[in-house]
C-alpha cells in the first residue's frame, strides 16, 4: 500500500463540504499550495459542484473559475481538472493541467478522449448512475461491484479505441454517485475485484454523506470517517485517494503502512 494523495481544490460557491471557501482565485491557489505541502502529489481543481441536486454552470463560468488557479498551481504541481466539458478540459490542458478527471467517463463529451490522446494527457473515468440531479433517487444494481466493473471496462475500451494511452487511464467507482450506503460499503470492501481491470483505482470518500449515514455526523465533522475509509480503501487496493484533508490522511496512511510493514 503506497497510495498517492489527490488534494481537492474546489473553486465553487456550492460544493457540498467547502463551497464558497476558495471561490476567490488567490484563496484557491494558497489552499492548493498548502495541500501540496501537506503531501498531495496531485491537485484536483474543479469549478462545478457534482453534489446531488447541483445546478450546472456554463463552460465560460467554469473556466473563469479554474483557469487562473490551474495557471498558478501547474508550474510546481501535477494538476488534474475535474470537468466533463470539452472546452474546459482543453483550456485546462493548455493552461498546465496534465490529467482530465471526468466524472461522466466520456458520456457527456466523448471528444475529451481524442483531446487526451492528442495531448498525451492522463484521464480518470468515473462511474455514476444517472446524473447529479437524479443519481440519489433510489439507485439499484443487480450486483453493484459487477455492474460498476462492467461499466468501467466498457468505458476503458471506449477511451483506448479513441487513442488514449492505456497507461494514462485511471478508474474510479464513484463513491456516492448514485449509490446507497450499502452500495458504497460493498464497493470499498471489494476493490480487489475492480483491480482486475488492470488500471490504477482512484477512490474519493472524503466527507461524503455515506459517512454521516454511519454515525450521524454532519459534513464538517467527518474527518475521522474520511481518514478511516481512505486508509481502508488503500489497504484494499486504492492507488489514489482523493481527499480534502491531505495532512491528516497522509499521517494516517504513513502509520498504516508502518504497521503493515
Ligand atoms: N467526488 C467528487 C467530485 N469529483 N472525482 C472523482 N474522480 N472521484 C470522486 O469521488 C469525486 C470526483 C465530489 O466531491 P467534491 O469535489 O468535494 O464536491 P463537489 O462535487 O460538491 O464540488
Amino acid at each position: 500500500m503506497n497510495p498517492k494523495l489527490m488534494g481537492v481544490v474546489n473553486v465553487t460557491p456550492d460544493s457540498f463540504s467547502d463551497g464558497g471557501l476558495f471561490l476567490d482565485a488567490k484563496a484557491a491557489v494558497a489552499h492548493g499550495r498548502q495541500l501540496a505541502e501537506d503531501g498531495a502529489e496531485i491537485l484536483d481543481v474543479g469549478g462545478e459542484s457534482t453534489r446531488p441536486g447541483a445546478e450546472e454552470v456554463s463552460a465560460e463560468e467554469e473556466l473563469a473559475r479554474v483557469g487562473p488557479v490551474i495557471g498558478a498551481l501547474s508550474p510546481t504541481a501535477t494538476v488534474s481538472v475535474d470537468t466533463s466539458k470539452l472546452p474546459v478540459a482543453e483550456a485546462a490542458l493548455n493552461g498546465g493541467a496534465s490529467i482530465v478527471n471526468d466524472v461522466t467517463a466520456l458520456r457527456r463529451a466523448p471528444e475529451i478522449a481524442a483531446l487526451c490522446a492528442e495531448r498525451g494527457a492522463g484521464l480518470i473515468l468515473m462511474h455514476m448512475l444517472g446524473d447529479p440531479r437524479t443519481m440519489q433517487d433510489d439507485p439499484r444494481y443487480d450486483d453493484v461491484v459487477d455492474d460498476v466493473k462492467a461499466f468501467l471496462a466498457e468505458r476503458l475500451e471506449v477511451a483506448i479505441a479513441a487513442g488514449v494511452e492505456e497507461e494514462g487511464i485511471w478508474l474510479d467507482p464513484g463513491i456516492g454517485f448514485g449509490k446507497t450506503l450499502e452500495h458504497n460499503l460493498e464497493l470499498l470492501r471489494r476493490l480487489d475485484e475492480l483491480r482486475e481491470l488492470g488500471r490504477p483505482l482512484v477512490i474519493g470518500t472524503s466527507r461524503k454523506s455515506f459517512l454521516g449515514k454511519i454515525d450521524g455526523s454532519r459534513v464538517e465533522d467527518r474527518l475521522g470517517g474520511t481518514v478511516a475509509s481512505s486508509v481502508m480503501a488503500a489497504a484494499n487496493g486504492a492507488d489514489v485517494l482523493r481527499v480534502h484533508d491531505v495532512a491528516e490522511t497522509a499521517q494516517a496512511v504513513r502509520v498504516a503502512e508502518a504497521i503493515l510493514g
Side-chain angles (χ1 to χ4, degrees), residues 44-163:
D44 190 40
V45 181
E48 178 177 57
S49 174
T50 53
R51 75 184 155 76
E55 288 303 319
E56 288 194 17
V57 299
S58 68
E60 291 71 30
E61 174 62 27
E62 198 180 323
L63 193 54
R65 292 176 185 174
V66 299
V69 177
I70 291 171
L73 291 175
S74 59
T76 54
T78 299
V79 172
S80 56
V81 60
D82 188 347
T83 191
S84 303
K85 298 194 186 87
L86 179 66
V88 178
E90 187 163 19
L93 294 181
N94 289 342
S98 56
I99 302 164
V100 179
N101 173 20
D102 179 6
V103 298
T104 74
L106 304 172
R107 289 179 295 166
R108 173 169 181 161
E111 305 87 350
I112 286 178
L115 173 72
C116 290
E118 189 187 304
R119 304 296 180 86
L123 177 60
I124 299 172
L125 301 171
M126 195 195 80
H127 175 272
M128 173 177 7
L129 190 70
D131 64 54
R133 275 175 297 104
T134 61
M135 64 189 181
Q136 288 306 104
D137 304 345
D138 193 24
R140 283 165 197 254
Y141 300 88
D142 289 334
D143 176 288
V144 67
V145 178
D146 290 350
D147 291 7
V148 167
K149 186 177 178 186
F151 171 88
L152 292 175
E154 189 263 337
R155 294 285 93 196
L156 177 63
E157 283 307 310
V158 166
I160 292 169

Side-chain angles (χ1 to χ4, degrees), residues 8 10 12 14-18 44 48-51 82 101 103 124 126 172 174-175 177 202-204 208 242 244:
V8 180
N10 281 327
T12 61
D14 59 344
S15 284
F16 76 94
S17 78
D18 55 2
D44 190 40
E48 178 177 57
S49 174
T50 53
R51 75 184 155 76
D82 188 347
N101 173 20
V103 298
I124 299 172
M126 195 195 80
D172 184 334
I175 297 298
F177 286 85
V202 179
I203 298 292
K208 286 184 179 170
R242 181 184 183 278
H244 301 84

